[in-house]
Amino acid sequence: MKKLLILFCFLILSVYVFAQGTDKAILKLPIPHYKILKADSTYTDWTALNTHKMVMVIYFAPDCPHCQHLMNEMRPEMNEFKNFQIVMICGTRTEYPYLKMLKTFNRDFDLLKYKNITMGTEYPNYKVVKYYQLATTPFIAFYDRNGKMTTYFDKPAKIEDVLAAAKKTDTVSNYR
């Protein structure tokens, strides 16, 4: 029984240590080398980013209630994200109907008026979802002007926390 208890404690400790290492490891990830199909049926990829500007990556699904809530909260605050290149990557199972859903998402949230937002689907390769090892949406990652991740959210976040992360990234970028 004593050996079983020691084994159980070792397993719990191992899981805890592994989880802590994973959290720190993700902060070392550079901007993913994505290729996305936009709603206008053209492709873009990570090389189109301005290498001296901050980046906000949002991995989302157009039919995800948490993602829709995030966009509703972000809309009145879009001026706070004006210095960011925002890349919204949709994980999909098929090319269609998600292209139609992206167009609807763009329309519903009036995103086409923001020149700093690029949105598309990564179908069929799912490199970004594998890169970040995502299980839920939305996922948000902030990168400074040097391409270093400053903050990420791997579950739905409050807009106050997202705004604080944007300010932190902007502050960090100005001091490097």
Side-chain angles (χ1 to χ4, degrees), residues 53-54 77-86 116:
K53 287 190 79 173
M54 297 174 294
E77 306 292 344
M78 285 306 284
N79 195 45
E80 299 297 319
F81 302 105
K82 68 182 177 195
N83 294 328
F84 285 86
Q85 299 171 91
I86 301 174
N116 62 326

Side-chain angles (χ1 to χ4, degrees), residues 77-123:
E77 306 292 344
M78 285 306 284
N79 195 45
E80 299 297 319
F81 302 105
K82 68 182 177 195
N83 294 328
F84 285 86
Q85 299 171 91
I86 301 174
V87 180
M88 296 184 67
I89 303 172
C90 173
T92 64
R93 291 185 252 314
T94 60
E95 186 174 329
Y96 187 86
Y98 275 89
L99 282 180
K100 183 177 179 184
M101 291 175 78
L102 285 178
K103 289 178 185 178
T104 303
F105 196 85
N106 267 325
R107 183 199 67 218
D108 290 350
F109 295 103
D110 202 18
L111 299 178
L112 293 176
K113 72 179 182 183
Y114 302 105
K115 302 297 180 206
N116 62 326
I117 296 179
T118 303
M119 180 190 308
T121 176
E122 70 168 340
Y123 171 83

Side-chain angles (χ1 to χ4, degrees), residues 7-21:
L7 179 63
F8 180 73
C9 290
F10 178 75
L11 286 173
I12 296 296
L13 182 62
S14 298
V15 168
Y16 176 77
V17 168
F18 177 75
Q20 294 301 311

Side-chain angles (χ1 to χ4, degrees), residues 4-57:
L4 188 59
L5 180 63
I6 291 171
L7 179 63
F8 180 73
C9 290
F10 178 75
L11 286 173
I12 296 296
L13 182 62
S14 298
V15 168
Y16 176 77
V17 168
F18 177 75
Q20 294 301 311
T22 303
D23 286 346
K24 291 178 183 177
I26 196 169
L27 285 171
K28 295 180 181 178
L29 292 176
I31 296 170
H33 292 188
Y34 65 86
K35 180 177 181 180
I36 56 176
L37 176 64
K38 299 187 298 182
D40 66 3
S41 297
T42 62
Y43 285 93
T44 189
D45 64 20
W46 63 278
T47 62
L49 292 172
N50 180 331
T51 57
H52 300 292
K53 287 190 79 173
M54 297 174 294
V55 176
M56 178 181 182
V57 175

